[in-house]
């Protein structure tokens, strides 16, 4: 993985619709490049515009937070970046390849080899133990760490043989993080990872994410509606009503324990 | 083991009750397939080997008396590869320990053992020794039934003379695999036996020296059987030929073929019913599973599992359930097949009848069960595969309900809210409701068809033994006798009433169609032997002209009012024409009747009779039997009570087992369908029901919502099931519609009632199992669960 990233480049809010994003980062450090991403859900009688032309770049080993109220389109954007969904219009590039041109098979391969997902509601398989939930991923990855190692990284070495129902919400989310990182993904995408948790457990989860980002250098993108979490990020991207409102770079990032919300 | 496989096993364990119920239905389907087809294959192979190794004849013919020099001419017929002429005669036997007369069939064989057509399998003792004129071999069935064997002897009344026959061996022949006396309903080993005796003494006893009255032929492969038969007929014609017939019409071979066809028919139909129900159940369960696991499917896909892997994962649910059912089914089927072969070993006399479960049959069974699994899984696996990963992260939108037909008609006010919920649920998923109804109806139908056999047999017995044959004893003479014989019979001890019977062997000809049979002449006011149609009403014999069974009319392609040619096969063999004035739909056989006086007019003969029907006083029964055994003119004595006993014994042996399994298997379907329907309903609605409980509904009230749905399904399914049962019965009756007998289509109310009760009991059992779960519904837990 790459060298330590420092906050640079674009400062201040970005003008909307600006297609030429000026950046001092080298293109080969850029992991994602999204242009004009639009998503319209056809709900029968009404059409819902979840994304209305989003331009976004995410960089190697960067920790970004996508901030926005519910309905702002942040989950949709994350799903598209993660290859779970495809935009109605626009392009998304992942490193050299164009995600939006990939077929179902290509997207599956992309998710399998490059992406780690963490969901708001953990989405653990209830019939599998913590270790087995992680093994679900290590079974199909080319170069995984052991489930034990992954669980150890999130501080759950002593809970490996517990079923999800025997774990607290925070523990379940940490299992989900272990499951996401066990394949050594290039990007870690977290959808409201603390949304269903209280502060104390939320902090533990965020620490786990931060640790992965630091130790493995995994490009990390967390979406949340909790502005406080933005303080952990190198860049905070504000989404409102399907558009990027602003992108803020943090000079200093706070550790999860220093957050107050 | 991969984590996803662990998930599969643990998830399956979660629904083990349902999985087990479905596996049981599949298991039964597979078991039926295995049972019927393995028995079919074993029986068919045994038959073919036996026929081949022991040179079963291809053509059978009888004559009155043909000279031996005809034999070479028969052998010269194009396509004939071998001929065996012989003397065959039925005699009355006197066996120690049996008061009633017994029929023995004497069949001549060469004095010295040599390979021959319809060869013998010597099971016990030895072959005849040349020069010993009274030695015989006895058929195995008779030897077992009478507990006799080498060293014992029986007395035969041959042409009026009592003759001691010494048994030296026990044997079998391929022409007597099914040893049934012509005209009987069931084989009766204790009262009909085959005795093989040296040709010369047997011919001498029946004035057949230098001649024969029976011939069997083997044809070459590819020979024109019809032409061979025609040639045999024309050669035997001058010697009282009674018409040759192919092996397919030989009585033992015919029964065996018929049995094989039935096995194949059952083997095709019954497993299909079970597997179709299983496929439906799999479909319902998997659809539910996929819907419950939407988010897990999404997570798997998000983690990088491909659509193929997800599709395979959910197909595997179905395949595992069906595989476990199939494996159990193969073993159950093998066990049942073994039992069935054991049963056939009592019915059919083979030197060897080994049960064989061939790999082909197992493969076939597994293929159809995999087929059912795939059919069942197909639609839900497709849903799982098509589910977009992002879409699946959102909970399923609330199901769309609409008011039911009744409510739209403005009758909604009549329904309680609970009833409305039940009805809306049923209407919402019309396919599932329909399939549940169809599944339960199928099980009801299966029960009806199983029990219907008893009804049919009861009715058959009733019609045959109580309405039609009211005589106790039927006596047949060696040769037609004068009217005086009737008076003599009447004077025998215990005879209350006697009626003449005149049977004239004929070849019927209508256009190019022919048929050998014999015309039965009955007295116009007959009280004993009567003609009875399927409505169990005695039919009056017209004073003139013929009356024949509908089956025979169909064979001859003629209708009421048409004329047929009668080529008489006895005496001077006159050829006459007569009008078919009436048809009767009797259950059995290809009879043709005529008023005895009209028949005599047609034959231009006096008061001749070939036998008599007797009504007797049971107190004098033994005395009468004793006398009958010793009257030289009597060729055979048929006892109604003995026939009934034989019939009932056989029914007791087989029907009990048959009905037990039928009820068991049908219950498995009902339980499978109802239990699954209830569990699915519970899974879909536990949240709703728990909410109702929180709102203050009692356990009884919420179970009435859930179980009300089942009750509604039963309400629809039961009448349909009874209708389906009647349909199945009609189908079965038409498939049994052969020349020898057909089943009456009469389903008794007892059958319907029993079927309904069994279905209801199975449903209640399943309902109670689910009700127990409902009572233990953890309100807090259920409401906490995110839908």
């Amino acid at each position: 993985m790459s060298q330590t990233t420092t906050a640079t480049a674009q400062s201040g809010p970005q003008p909307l619709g600006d297609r030429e994003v000026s950046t001092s980062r080298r293109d080969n450090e850029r992991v994602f490049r999204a242009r004009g991403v639009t998503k319209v859900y056809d709900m029968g009688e009404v059409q819902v515009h979840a994304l209305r032309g989003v331009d976004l770049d995410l960089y190697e080993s960067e920790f970004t937070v996508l901030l926005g109220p519910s309905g702002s389109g942040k989950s949709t954007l994350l799903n598209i970046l993660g290859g779970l969904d495809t935009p109605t219009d626009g392009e998304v590039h992942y490193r050299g390849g164009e995600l939006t041109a990939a077929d179902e098979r290509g997207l599956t391969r992309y998710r399998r080899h490059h992406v780690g997902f963490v969901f708001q509601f953990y989405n653990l398989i209830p019939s599998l133990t913590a270790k087995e939930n992680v093994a679900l991923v290590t079974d199909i990855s080319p170069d995984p760490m052991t489930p034990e190692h992954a669980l150890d990284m999130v501080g759950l070495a002593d809970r490996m043989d517990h079923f999800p129902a025997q774990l607290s919400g925070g523990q379940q989310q940490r299992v989900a993080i272990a499951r996401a990182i066990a394949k050594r993904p290039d990007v870690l995408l977290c959808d409201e990872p603390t949304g269903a948790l209280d502060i104390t457990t939320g902090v533990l989860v965020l620490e786990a994410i931060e640790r992965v980002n630091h130790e493995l250098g995994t490009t990390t993108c967390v979406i949340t509606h909790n502005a406080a979490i933005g303080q952990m990020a190198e860049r905070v991207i504000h989404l409102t009503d399907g558009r990027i409102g602003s992108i803020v770079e943090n000079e200093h990032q706070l550790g999860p324990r220093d957050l107050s919300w | 083991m991969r984590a996803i496989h662990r998930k599969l096993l643990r998830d399956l364990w979660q629904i083990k009750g349902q999985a087990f119920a479905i596996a049981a239905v599949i298991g039964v389907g597979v078991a039926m397939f295995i049972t019927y087809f393995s028995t079919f294959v074993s029986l068919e192979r045994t038959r073919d080997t036996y026929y081949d190794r022991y040179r079963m004849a291809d053509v059978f013919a009888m004559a009155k008396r043909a000279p031996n020099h005809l034999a070479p001419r028969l052998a010269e017929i194009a396509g004939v590869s071998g001929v065996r002429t012989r003397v065959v005669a039925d005699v009355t036997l006197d066996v120690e320990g049996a008061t009633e007369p017994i029929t023995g069939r004497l069949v001549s064989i060469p004095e010295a053992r040599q390979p021959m057509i319809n060869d013998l399998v010597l099971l016990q003792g030895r072959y005849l020794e040349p020069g010993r004129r009274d030695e015989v071999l006895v058929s195995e069935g008779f030897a077992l039934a009478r507990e006799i064997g080498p060293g014992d002897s029986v007395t035969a009344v041959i042409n009026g003379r009592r003759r001691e026959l010494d048994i030296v061996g026990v044997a079998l022949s391929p022409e007597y695999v099914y040893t049934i006396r012509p005209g009987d309903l069931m084989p009766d080993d204790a009262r009909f036996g085959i005795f093989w005796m040296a040709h010369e003494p047997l011919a001498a006893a029946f004035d057949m020296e230098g001649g024969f009255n029976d011939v069997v032929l083997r044809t070459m492969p590819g020979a024109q059987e019809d032409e061979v038969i025609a040639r045999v007929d024309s050669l035997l014609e001058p010697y009282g030929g009674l018409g040759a017939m192919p092996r397919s019409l030989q009585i033992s071979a015919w029964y065996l073929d018929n049995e094989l066809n039935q096995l194949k028919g059952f083997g095709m139909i019954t497993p299909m019913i079970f597997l179709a129900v299983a496929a439906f159940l799999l479909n319902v369960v998997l659809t539910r599973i996929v819907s419950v696991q939407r988010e897990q499917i999404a997570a798997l896909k998000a983690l990088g599992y491909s659509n193929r892997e997800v599709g395979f994962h959910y197909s595997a649910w179905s395949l595992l359930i069906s595989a476990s059912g199939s494996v159990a089914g193969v073993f159950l089927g093998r066990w049942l097949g073994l039992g069935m072969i054991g049963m056939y070993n009592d019915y059919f006399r083979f030197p060897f009848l080994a049960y064989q479960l061939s790999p082909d049959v197992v493969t076939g069974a597994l293929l159809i069960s995999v087929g059912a699994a795939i059919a069942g899984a197909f639609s839900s696996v497709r849903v799982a595969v098509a589910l977009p990963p992002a879409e699946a992260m959102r909970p399923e939108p609330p199901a769309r309900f609409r008011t039911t037909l009744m409510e739209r008609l403005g009758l909604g006010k009549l329904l309680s809210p609970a009833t409305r919920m039940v009805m809306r649920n049923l209407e919402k998923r019309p396919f599932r409701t329909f399939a549940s109804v169809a599944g339960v109806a199928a099980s009801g139908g299966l029960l009806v068809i199983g029990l219907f056999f008893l009804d049919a047999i009861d009715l058959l017995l009733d019609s045959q033994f109580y309405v039609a044959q009211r005589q106790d004893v039927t006596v047949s003479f060696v040769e037609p006798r004068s009217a005086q014989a009737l008076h003599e019979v009447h004077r025998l001890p215990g005879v209350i009433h006697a009626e003449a019977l005149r049977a004239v062997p004929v070849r019927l000809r209508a256009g190019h169609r022919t048929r050998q049979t014999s015309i039965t002449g009955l007295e116009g006011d007959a009280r004993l032997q009567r003609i009875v149609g399927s409505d169990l009403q005695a039919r009056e014999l017209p004073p003139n002209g013929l009356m024949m069974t509908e089956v025979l009319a169909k064979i001859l392609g003629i209708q009421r009012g048409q004329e047929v040619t009668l080529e008489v096969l006895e005496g001077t063999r006159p050829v006459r024409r007569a009008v078919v004035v009436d048809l009767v739909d009797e259950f059995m056989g290809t009879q043709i009747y005529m008023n005895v006086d009209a028949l005599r007019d047609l034959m231009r003969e006096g008061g001749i009779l070939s036998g008599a029907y007797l009504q007797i006083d049971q107190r004098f029964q033994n005395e009468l039997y004793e006398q009958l055994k010793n009257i030289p003119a009597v060729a055979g004595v048929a006892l109604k009570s003995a026939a009934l006993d034989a019939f009932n014994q056989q029914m007791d042996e087989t029907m009990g087992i048959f009905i037990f399994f039928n009820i068991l298997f049908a219950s498995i379907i009902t339980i499978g369908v109802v239990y699954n329907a209830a569990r699915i309903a519970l899974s879909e609605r536990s949240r709703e029901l728990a909410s109702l409980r929180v709102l203050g509904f009692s356990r009884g009230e919420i179970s009435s919502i859930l179980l009300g749905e089942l009750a509604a399904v039963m309400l629809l399914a039961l009448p349909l099931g009874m209708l389906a049962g009647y349909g199945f019965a009609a189908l079965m009756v038409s498939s049994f519609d052969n020349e020898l007998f057909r089943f009456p289509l009469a389903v008794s109310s007892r059958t319907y009632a029993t079927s309904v009760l069994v279905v209801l009991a199975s449903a209640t059992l399943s309902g109670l199992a689910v009700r127990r779960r409902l009572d233990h519904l953890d309100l807090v837990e259920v409401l906490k669960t995110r839908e």
Side-chain angles (χ1 to χ4, degrees), chain A residues 111-112 119 127 132 136 139, chain B residues 3 10-11 301 305 393:
Chain A
R111 294 195 298 264
R112 191 172 188 140
F119 312 100
S127 54
E132 288 159 356
L136 210 50
D139 280 344
Chain B
R10 295 218 182 105
D11 286 349
K301 288 187 176 184
Y305 280 83
M393 308 298 293

Side-chain angles (χ1 to χ4, degrees), chain B residues 4 17 52 65 74 76 79 133 154 213 220 223-224 232 246 283 377 432 513:
Chain B
I4 190 148
D52 182 56
R65 186 188 187 285
L74 286 165
E76 279 163 16
R133 301 174 62 88
V154 291
N213 67 354
M220 294 172 196
Q224 293 290 319
V232 171
N283 174 282
R432 191 203 285 177
R513 304 190 199 206

